[in-house]
Amino acid sequence: MNPVFGEKRLNVENALKLARKIESDLYVLPELFNTGYAFTSRDEALELAEEIPGQTTEKLAEYCRENDVYIVGGIAERENGRVYNSAVAVGPDGLIGKYRKSHLFYAEKKWFSPGDTGFRVFTLKKLKVKIGIIICFDWVFPEASRVLALKGADIICHPSNLVLPYAQKAMLTRSFENKVFTVTANRVGSEKRGGYKFLFTGLSQVTNPKMEILVQASRDREEVKVVEIDVEEARNKKITEFNDLFLDRRVDLYREILG
Ligand code: ACM
C-alpha cells in the first residue's frame, strides 16, 4: 500500500479494495496503514490515533465477517492520552487481539510511547494456525521473533514501513532460525513532513522455514499477492536428525541477553 497521510477513510477503503482483488485466508497490511507514517508531533499522532476497538478495527472486522477471513494491520492506537504504534488481528468474530510496537525507530520516539504488550501469539481458530506480530523495526531484535516462536507462532506477521534496505534479507534468517513463516507487508511510496523525508522500500514478501522467499511484491507500486503455505512445516523444529532448534538452545549461556 501507499497510504495518504491523514486520509484514514480513504486508506482503509483502499486496503479493503486491494484485499478484494485476491482470495486469501489471512491478509497482512502495512504498519500505520490507515494514518500514514510521518507525524509532525505527538499531538498530531494522538489526533489521528484510535482506540482499539475503534473505527478502523470495526471496518476490518466487518470485512472479515462478510468474507470469513483474517486481517492483521498496523494502526495508531490511543489509550489514556498515550499513542502506540500498534497492530490488530481481526477475524470473522471481530477483534482477536493487538500488539504494541516494542522497538520504536528514529523519530517515532517523539510520536509514540514504547509498546507494553509484550510479544503475543493469537490463534486463528478457523485456520488452526497461530500467529505472532512484530512491527517493522522490531525485526532488528531477534529476541522478539524468538519469543513468538517459543510461544508457538507458526507465522510471524510483520506490518512495516521500512526505510532501511536490510529487513527483507534479515527476515529470511528469522524464518530459518525460528522455523516459522514470516509475512512482511511493507508500504511503498514516500512521505515528506515535519522536516523529515522517508522513502519506503516496498518488496513485501512471504518467507518459509527453509529460508526461501515464496512470493515478493513490487518495490514501488501497490500490489497484493497470495501464496499457499502448509503450516505443518513450521511445527517441525528439527534441523538434522541430531539437532532440534528448541531443544538445542543453551539458555545457560545466554544470561547477558536478559540484561
Ligand atoms: C520502522 O520501524 N518503521 C522503520
Side-chain angles (χ1 to χ4, degrees):
M1 287 187 66
N2 185 6
V4 180
F5 186 87
E7 299 291 332
K8 287 193 344 186
R9 186 193 293 263
L10 175 81
N11 293 330
V12 175
E13 273 173 19
N14 187 33
L16 298 179
K17 198 163 86 186
L18 283 163
R20 257 180 228 112
K21 283 188 176 187
I22 214 161
E23 245 181 71
S24 182
D25 294 310
L26 168 64
Y27 296 83
V28 184
L29 302 168
E31 177 183 15
L32 298 167
F33 85 89
N34 64 337
T35 56
Y37 183 74
F39 296 96
T40 53
S41 67
R42 188 174 294 263
D43 281 349
E44 187 183 54
L46 198 57
E47 184 80 16
L48 282 165
E50 296 176 19
E51 289 179 352
I52 297 175
Q55 220 172 21
T56 299
T57 318
E58 293 299 340
K59 279 268 179 221
L60 298 182
E62 191 181 293
Y63 187 87
C64 289
R65 201 163 40 243
E66 283 169 5
N67 296 281
D68 206 20
V69 297
Y70 294 88
I71 300 178
V72 170
I75 70 175
E77 180 195 3
R78 181 172 62 210
E79 189 190 68
N80 296 331
R82 288 174 187 255
V83 200
Y84 298 95
N85 185 339
S86 296
V88 291
V90 181
D93 299 324
L95 178 69
I96 298 167
K98 69 181 174 194
Y99 163 69
R100 291 172 170 165
K101 185 175 185 176
S102 305
H103 306 96
L104 297 175
F105 177 71
Y106 194 57
E108 287 174 33
K109 294 193 178 193
K110 300 203 297 190
W111 314 324
F112 299 113
S113 296
D116 56 1
T117 52
F119 304 105
R120 295 173 163 174
V121 167
F122 306 110
T123 301
L124 308 187
K125 271 194 239 155
K126 194 191 82 163
L127 304 178
K128 300 188 173 66
V129 164
K130 289 188 178 179
I131 63 160
I133 304 175
I134 62 173
I135 300 177
C136 206
F137 192 55
D138 282 330
W139 74 265
V140 172
F141 303 87
E143 295 87 349
S145 298
R146 175 69 99 213
V147 169
L148 290 173
L150 288 169
K151 286 185 167 180
D154 303 305
I155 304 170
I156 293 179
C157 300
H158 183 209
S160 293
N161 280 187
L162 292 158
V163 292
L164 302 175
Y166 314 120
Q168 290 86 344
K169 287 189 188 122
M171 291 308 287
L172 283 164
T173 303
R174 297 290 165 276
S175 259
F176 179 73
E177 70 193 1
N178 294 296
K179 288 201 139 235
V180 293
F181 292 88
T182 75
V183 185
T184 297
N186 188 28
R187 67 163 289 176
V188 295
S190 62
E191 282 186 21
K192 195 172 170 194
R193 300 187 80 251
Y196 295 112
K197 172 141 199 228
F198 299 97
L199 178 63
F200 303 103
T201 58
L203 298 172
S204 294
Q205 65 182 21
V206 177
T207 66
N208 71 3
K210 288 190 215 145
M211 214 163 164
E212 294 162 335
I213 294 177
L214 298 178
V215 68
Q216 188 159 56
S218 167
R219 185 185 298 277
D220 52 13
R221 278 175 294 109
E222 291 196 324
E223 197 166 33
V224 55
K225 294 216 171 187
V226 67
V227 67
E228 191 166 323
I229 62 168
D230 177 1
V231 287
E232 281 302 324
E233 288 176 36
R235 292 172 185 168
N236 173 11
K237 300 299 183 186
K238 280 221 166 312
I239 296 175
T240 72
E241 71 178 290
F242 299 108
N243 294 103
D244 181 288
L245 182 65
F246 285 174
L247 299 178
D248 283 3
R249 292 164 59 244
R250 292 292 310 278
V251 289
D252 54 322
L253 304 178
Y254 304 158
R255 275 175 39 130
E256 286 79 1
I257 285 181
L258 294 177

